[in-house]
């Protein structure tokens, strides 16, 4: 992807976006994989590299893949945990956290990493779960799986549950599964009560998360999109900023 800095952002668009956020009041940031791209965490639709090159992430992240080949899916998630734990929040995550100094900010993220929290954001709703919250695949009890192995492996047996004969699974939402109720309800409440919504780095294709920007717009809430590429969002967006999160969010969100 080419470098797109704020110099390349249409300054009229940036002015319009800043104006949309000016009303004060609660701000909601909806983030997707593009938010963490500049931290070195590959987006879902980016080609994978190395050992995982031949796997399609959208096929590994399914209950069917877990039934067919649990050890491969577990190894992939443990590798992603390792990758995320060695990554650092980027300027975009930091700008979102810093905005809390002058306004009420809620983050609703589809990301299963913890980079918003590590940047300092205090209210973060993970609508697709978390890489670090393992639970039993049978009784749903939390399972402590310990740290991920630092070396790359392509198969790994998940640990046994201590309550039943189930196995640890990643605490993330797979394709075809329902979203966890509490963060989803918090997300709906936040976007409908917001004074503005900033959507960052999501393809806007995976529902129901992709419906949150149009829900906001239907409540008269202005929606600013930050994405250097195309997305599935359309008329619900009031202003598009065609730039990378880390490069434009500091200019968009400063006081
Ligand atoms: P995707 O990987 O589908 O899309 C990433 C988006 O980020 C694309 O629109 C890119 O153009 C954009 N992007 C890339 N680099 C960027 C940058 N530096 N700054 C801003 N934007 C950038 O990611 P999501 O939309 O988050 O779900 O994917 C949604 C869900 O699909 C994921 O949560 C996951 C996946 O399957 C589950 O696991 C249930």
């Amino acid at each position: 992807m080419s470098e797109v800095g704020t110099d390349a952002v249409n300054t009229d668009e940036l002015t319009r976006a800043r104006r949309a956020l000016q009303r004060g009041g609660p701000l909601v940031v909806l983030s997707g994989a593009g938010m963490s791209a500049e931290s070195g965490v590959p987006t879902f639709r980016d080609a994978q590299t190395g050992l995982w090159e031949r796997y399609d992430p959208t096929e590994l992240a399914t209950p069917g893949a877990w039934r067919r080949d649990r050890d491969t899916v577990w190894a992939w998630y443990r590798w992603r945990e390792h990758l995320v734990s060695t990554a650092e929040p980027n300027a975009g995550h930091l700008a979102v956290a810093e905005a809390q100094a002058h306004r009420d900010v809620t983050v609703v993220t589809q990301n299963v990493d913890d980079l918003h929290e590590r940047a300092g954001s205090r209210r973060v709703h993970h609508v697709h779960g978390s890489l670090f919250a393992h639970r039993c695949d049978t009784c749903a009890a939390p399972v402590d799986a310990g740290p991920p192995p630092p070396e790359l492996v392509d198969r790994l047996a998940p640990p046994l549950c201590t309550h039943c004969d189930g196995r640890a699974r990643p605490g993330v939402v797979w394709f075809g599964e329902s979203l966890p109720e509490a963060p989803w309800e918090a997300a709906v409440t936040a976007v409908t009560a917001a004074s503005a919504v900033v959507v960052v780095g999501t393809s806007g294709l995976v529902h129901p998360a992709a419906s949150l920007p149009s829900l906001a717009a239907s409540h008269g809430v202005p929606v600013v999109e930050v994405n250097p590429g195309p997305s599935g969002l359309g008329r619900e967006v009031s202003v598009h900023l065609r730039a990378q999160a880390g490069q434009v969010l500091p200019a968009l969100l400063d006081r």
Side-chain angles (χ1 to χ4, degrees):
M1 187 177 301
S2 62
E3 290 278 296
V4 186
T6 46
D7 297 348
V9 176
N10 182 316
T11 46
D12 290 347
E13 296 293 278
L14 185 56
T15 306
R16 283 182 56 219
R18 284 179 58 92
R19 205 169 290 142
L21 267 51
Q22 232 165 26
R23 279 198 287 165
L27 175 73
V28 173
V29 176
L30 295 178
S31 65
M35 181 88 216
S36 298
E38 289 153 89
S39 294
V41 181
T43 67
F44 250 78
R45 272 141 255 271
D46 271 347
Q48 304 210 91
T49 51
L51 179 62
W52 296 104
E53 210 164 28
R54 62 202 163 93
Y55 292 94
D56 176 353
T58 56
E59 280 168 23
L60 286 172
T62 64
W66 185 252
R67 277 193 301 273
R68 279 191 304 277
D69 189 0
R70 205 169 51 189
D71 293 5
T72 298
V73 175
W74 183 249
W76 182 59
Y77 276 99
R78 298 249 77 192
W79 169 75
R80 290 179 61 201
E81 271 178 67
H82 173 69
L83 183 82
V84 164
S85 60
T86 57
E88 293 295 333
N90 63 55
H93 297 108
L94 294 171
V96 171
E98 279 157 18
Q100 296 172 132
H102 55 95
R103 66 192 299 174
D104 180 280
V105 181
T106 299
V107 176
V108 174
T109 188
Q110 296 172 78
N111 297 344
V112 293
D113 65 48
D114 59 353
L115 295 173
H116 280 296
E117 287 91 339
R118 282 203 268 137
S121 283
R122 291 186 290 272
R123 198 183 305 127
V124 184
H125 302 300
H126 284 270
V127 293
H128 288 169
S130 159
L131 273 178
F132 305 100
H134 312 110
R135 65 169 190 269
C136 173
D137 66 355
T138 307
C139 73
V143 180
D144 180 0
E151 73 283 3
L152 269 177
V153 285
D154 60 355
R155 294 177 62 77
L156 198 60
L160 286 166
C161 174
T162 49
H163 302 279
C164 73
D165 58 3
R167 295 275 182 170
R169 61 156 279 177
V172 304
V173 176
W174 284 327
F175 287 103
E177 292 187 320
S178 311
L179 271 54
E181 228 165 90
W184 176 251
E185 279 167 13
V188 169
T189 304
V191 298
T192 52
S195 67
V197 167
V198 181
V199 189
V200 186
T202 174
S203 52
L205 298 174
V206 179
H207 284 273
S211 66
L212 291 170
S214 51
L215 179 65
S218 71
H219 281 74
V221 179
V223 176
V224 173
E225 183 185 35
V226 174
N227 195 321
S231 80
L233 302 181
R235 288 215 312 241
E236 62 271 49
V237 174
S238 339
V239 190
H240 294 264
L241 294 174
R242 298 281 171 225
Q244 298 193 38
Q247 292 179 314
V248 79
L249 286 176
L252 178 66
L253 297 178
D254 72 358
R255 196 189 294 264

